[in-house]
Every structure is written in structure tokens, then in C-alpha cells.
Amino acid sequence: MKIQTKHEQETFVFGENLSRSLQNGDVVCITGDLGTGKTALTKGIAKGLGILDWITSPTFTVVNEYEGDKRLFHFDVYRVHDEEELFHIGFLDYFEREGVFVIEWADLIEALIPKRAIWLQIEKDLEKGLDVRYITVRAMHQSERGQTLVDSLCARYQQEGNRE
Ligand SMILES: Nc1ncnc2c1ncn2[C@@H]1O[C@H](COP(=O)(O)OP(=O)(O)OP(=O)(O)O)[C@@H](O)[C@H]1O
Ligand SMILES: [Mg+2]
């Protein structure tokens, strides 16, 4: 599934819509170049999870934790993406906890990502305009939960006639 957003606000709303399908334990991986909108999308997810705090990119802290209707663990592994190092500092232990997990730059540490994750890839389309983004949604590893999430998101967007 691939959708287009034409403005930061639409990427935010996409995140908010996605959050309606999220349950504790779900893992959302967001990939895309610098400044494509990974944090903007995460802010939408946070709003949808009932989190009122201001979301900032955890670039230097690796993870920020927020309490809402559901707990959110927001990772950014851009600066620390050595799989072995992350493994040793207990990165995998987070996924035993109760909450929703969002990981920016997850492609840098693919081996550590739970198989149930869904993957959102954000791309710019400069020919279409500075603010245009394409968001591609995928489940991998034949993950049943991942596929269920993708399907429920597709259904949401088909209803709105917003899908490509
Ligand atoms: N359609 C769009 N969706 C999301 N952001 C957009 C869009 N159009 C323009 N922007 C702008 O792109 C920037 C995205 O910034 P953001 O911090 O969310 O990116 P990021 O992918 O998290 O970057 P980084 O790799 O540094 O973490 C913002 O300045 C935002 O206003
Ligand atoms: Mg970011």
C-alpha cells in the first residue's frame, strides 16, 4: 500500500489514523532520508495514542518513553546503530514491555527488529513539489500481526478513497 501526502499535516494525520489500529506490542518501523517526515508521522501516532507531551526526536537518547492511553516508546537509531552495541545495552528488552514501539531509521538495525513489525518507507517526490511524500506500508517475514495491521490501514484508506 502506498499513499501520498502533500503537507506535513497530512503525514501527521496518517500517523494518527494508523494509531487507531495499534495495540500494545506493535512495532512500527519508519525509514526514509533525513527530513522526510519520520518524526512528523510519529507525532501523529503519539496524538492518536492520547499522548499530550511534545514529541522530540530522541536522536541523542536513542529512546523516549511517553505515557498516554497507551505507552509509546519512540526510538531513533540514526546515531547509535551498531547492532552489537544496541544488543548489549538491552535494546531487545524494550520489546518485552507494554506499549507501542516506533523506530526511526529501523533499516539500519534490521537484524534487531521484531518480525511482527510493520515498515513505513517515506520518500520525497521533488518533481511533484517540495512537500510531497509517498508513504509505502509493508509487513515482512509473513508476519500475521504485521499483515493484519497493513490490511486494517488499507481498509481505512480505501474508505476515504485516498489510496493509490
Ligand atoms: N508531506 C510532508 N510530510 C512530512 N513532513 C513534511 C512534508 N512536507 C514537508 N515536510 C517537512 O519536512 C520536515 C520533516 O521533518 P522530520 O523531523 O519529521 O523528518 P525526519 O524524517 O524525522 O528527519 P530525521 O531523519 O532528521 O529524523 C519538516 O520540516 C516538515 O515540515
Ligand atoms: Mg526524525
Side-chain angles (χ1 to χ4, degrees):
M1 168 187 170
K2 186 171 179 176
I3 70 133
Q4 186 194 58
T5 69
K6 297 196 184 74
H7 192 270
E8 179 174 0
Q9 181 63 18
E10 287 182 21
T11 299
F12 179 95
V13 169
F14 175 87
E16 210 179 343
N17 286 335
L18 166 63
S19 76
R20 312 257 173 258
S21 303
L22 293 174
Q23 301 172 355
N24 282 329
D26 284 338
V27 182
V28 180
C29 292
I30 315 182
T31 70
D33 291 341
L34 282 166
T36 41
K38 298 181 293 297
T39 301
L41 203 161
T42 306
K43 287 176 180 172
I45 293 177
K47 160 105 187 295
L49 295 179
I51 291 158
L52 304 173
D53 307 38
W54 178 249
I55 306 294
T56 54
S57 204
T59 308
F60 294 97
T61 50
V62 184
V63 61
N64 287 337
E65 195 175 325
Y66 301 95
E67 299 293 335
D69 299 329
K70 291 195 175 67
R71 185 178 297 129
L72 170 69
F73 295 95
H74 178 204
F75 298 87
D76 183 330
V77 297
Y78 182 67
R79 276 176 205 279
V80 184
H81 60 258
D82 182 74
E83 285 172 350
E84 215 161 306
E85 183 184 340
L86 281 172
F87 179 82
H88 283 296
I89 62 173
F91 178 77
L92 292 178
D93 298 339
Y94 276 98
F95 300 104
E96 305 294 320
R97 296 187 53 194
E98 189 175 297
V100 167
F101 306 92
V102 174
I103 310 166
E104 293 189 41
W105 292 101
D107 48 326
L108 300 179
I109 56 159
E110 219 177 317
L112 296 184
I113 303 298
K115 303 278 184 274
R116 63 182 184 273
I118 60 163
W119 290 76
L120 311 181
Q121 181 189 2
I122 312 181
E123 291 162 298
K124 291 190 185 180
D125 187 344
L126 294 177
E127 280 179 18
K128 292 257 165 84
L130 272 183
D131 290 352
V132 171
R133 304 287 189 270
Y134 288 100
I135 307 173
T136 307
V137 186
R138 292 190 191 92
M140 290 195 198
H141 310 284
Q142 275 99 43
S143 150
E144 205 176 304
R145 177 60 192 152
Q147 197 52 54
T148 303
L149 258 179
V150 174
D151 291 346
S152 91
L153 200 59
C154 281
R156 248 176 242 287
Y157 274 82
Q158 247 161 1
Q159 274 170 5
E160 291 170 31
N162 207 352
R163 201 183 151 207
E164 286 225 341

